[in-house]
């Protein structure tokens, strides 16, 4: 009988690799692994669960047991995956995308997110977009116009205003700054 476990702070492909190595070290077999979620071949006993929890914590992850935290982590993972790991332009209606992937009402999910995370879900999305824009600016492969298009901003001015509101500097000031003010994805 398979079982699904949810893991906090899995935000990138390296995280998936790290968790799969932990599972292999503990001889825990799994069917699939993706951001924030592992489908195990069988249900863990208490000893296995405790060992897994300790190993995960040593690597900066943690098991999520309660349903509300699982939903919030799923929301975060969908946003991170879409913004940071998708090669497609970011033309997405978040309410539809989240609702379709989690199969719950977006208003409920958004309200739950705000009540637990102390920021709105919309602000979380903006924060993730700004971090990705910082990354794109550091790579210096795209113009600001191309970045605005890729990130689904209606104009460079709108992107610049949101960037300044979030970071306190314009994109060009950011590019010139020595300290790139990058944050780890799990700190956003």
């Amino acid at each position: 009988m398979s079982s699904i476990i949810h893991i906090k702070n899995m935000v990138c492909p390296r995280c998936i690799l790290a968790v799969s190595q932990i599972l292999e070290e503990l001889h825990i077999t799994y069917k699939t692994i993706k951001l924030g979620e592992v489908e195990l071949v069988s249900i863990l006993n208490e000893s296995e669960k405790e060992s897994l929890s300790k190993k995960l914590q040593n690597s900066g992850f943690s098991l999520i047991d309660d349903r509300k935290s699982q939903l919030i982590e799923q929301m975060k993972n969908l946003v991170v995956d879409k913004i940071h790991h998708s090669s497609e332009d970011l033309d997405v209606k978040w309410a539809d995308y989240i609702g379709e992937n989690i199969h719950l009402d977006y208003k409920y999910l958004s309200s739950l997110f705000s009540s637990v995370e102390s920021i709105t879900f919309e602000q979380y999305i903006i924060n993730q977009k700004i971090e990705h824009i910082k990354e794109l600016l550091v790579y210096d492969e795209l113009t600001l116009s191309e970045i605005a298009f890729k990130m689904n901003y209606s104009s460079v001015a709108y992107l610049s205003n949101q960037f300044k509101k979030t970071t306190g500097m314009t994109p060009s000031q950011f590019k010139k700054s020595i300290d790139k003010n990058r944050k780890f994805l799990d700190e956003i």
Side-chain angles (χ1 to χ4, degrees), residues 1-6 28-33 37-45 48:
M1 171 185 246
S2 70
S3 140
I4 293 178
I5 58 170
H6 297 273
I28 298 173
T29 52
Y30 59 91
K31 291 180 182 178
T32 60
I33 186 168
E37 188 177 288
V38 178
E39 183 180 3
L40 301 173
V41 171
S42 60
I43 297 172
L44 297 177
N45 63 39
E48 290 171 325

Side-chain angles (χ1 to χ4, degrees), residues 95-113:
D96 295 341
Y97 181 69
I98 297 298
E100 289 166 6
N101 280 281
I102 299 181
H103 310 293
L104 289 172
D105 179 63
Y106 176 77
K107 286 182 181 177
Y108 165 74
L109 292 169
S110 181
S111 174
L112 173 66
F113 190 96

Side-chain angles (χ1 to χ4, degrees), residues 68-80:
K68 288 180 180 179
S69 295
Q70 289 173 3
L71 289 172
I72 289 167
E73 198 66 18
Q74 276 183 281
M75 292 170 73
K76 287 180 175 181
N77 288 332
L78 286 167
V79 170
V80 166

Side-chain angles (χ1 to χ4, degrees), residues 66-134:
D66 67 286
R67 178 73 176 138
K68 288 180 180 179
S69 295
Q70 289 173 3
L71 289 172
I72 289 167
E73 198 66 18
Q74 276 183 281
M75 292 170 73
K76 287 180 175 181
N77 288 332
L78 286 167
V79 170
V80 166
D81 192 45
K82 192 70 159 168
I83 291 174
H84 296 278
H85 306 299
S86 175
S87 58
E88 302 168 7
D89 291 339
L90 196 62
D91 185 12
V92 62
K93 293 192 180 350
W94 289 105
D96 295 341
Y97 181 69
I98 297 298
E100 289 166 6
N101 280 281
I102 299 181
H103 310 293
L104 289 172
D105 179 63
Y106 176 77
K107 286 182 181 177
Y108 165 74
L109 292 169
S110 181
S111 174
L112 173 66
F113 190 96
S114 299
S115 69
V116 173
E117 292 294 315
S118 71
I119 63 167
T120 65
F121 184 59
E122 291 73 19
Q123 188 60 51
Y124 178 79
I125 292 168
I126 290 167
N127 292 349
Q128 289 296 335
K129 286 173 78 172
I130 296 300
E131 284 305 309
H132 190 59
I133 291 166
K134 287 180 185 179

